[in-house]
Amino acid sequence: MAAVDNMTTRKGALAFSPRAVFDELKGKIARYRLYRQTMNELSTLSGRELADLGLSRSMLRSVAYEAAYGTE
């Protein structure tokens, strides 16, 4: 039989309060909007402009994702 010495939650006791849920959802929406805005702006660039930035079309999603969500 296993014993539990220390039990913690991810965000504490208030993680499921309506305010915390709303704030988390608001943050997710803001990050997604940043991702979409970055994708839209990069998509409008020509191949030559992307090459000047050192990017190719195949990299656009990963660049936009990193801009919005960071690297993990």
Side-chain angles (χ1 to χ4, degrees):
M1 186 151 127
V4 177
D5 290 333
N6 186 10
M7 183 180 275
T8 59
T9 60
R10 191 177 82 150
K11 293 186 178 183
L14 298 177
F16 296 109
S17 73
R19 177 66 181 195
V21 171
F22 177 74
D23 288 343
E24 186 171 341
L25 181 61
K26 193 168 133 182
K28 286 182 179 186
I29 291 170
R31 285 187 300 275
Y32 180 73
R33 283 184 178 164
L34 177 61
Y35 170 78
R36 287 305 314 157
Q37 179 183 5
T38 305
M39 273 297 296
N40 290 338
E41 290 178 7
L42 290 173
S43 296
T44 63
L45 297 176
S46 68
R48 175 172 239 147
E49 292 168 325
L50 288 171
D52 287 344
L53 294 172
L55 300 174
S56 65
R57 291 236 176 254
S58 64
M59 299 170 66
L60 296 185
R61 286 185 180 168
S62 62
V63 170
Y65 186 89
E66 185 176 339
Y69 300 101
T71 57
E72 291 185 26

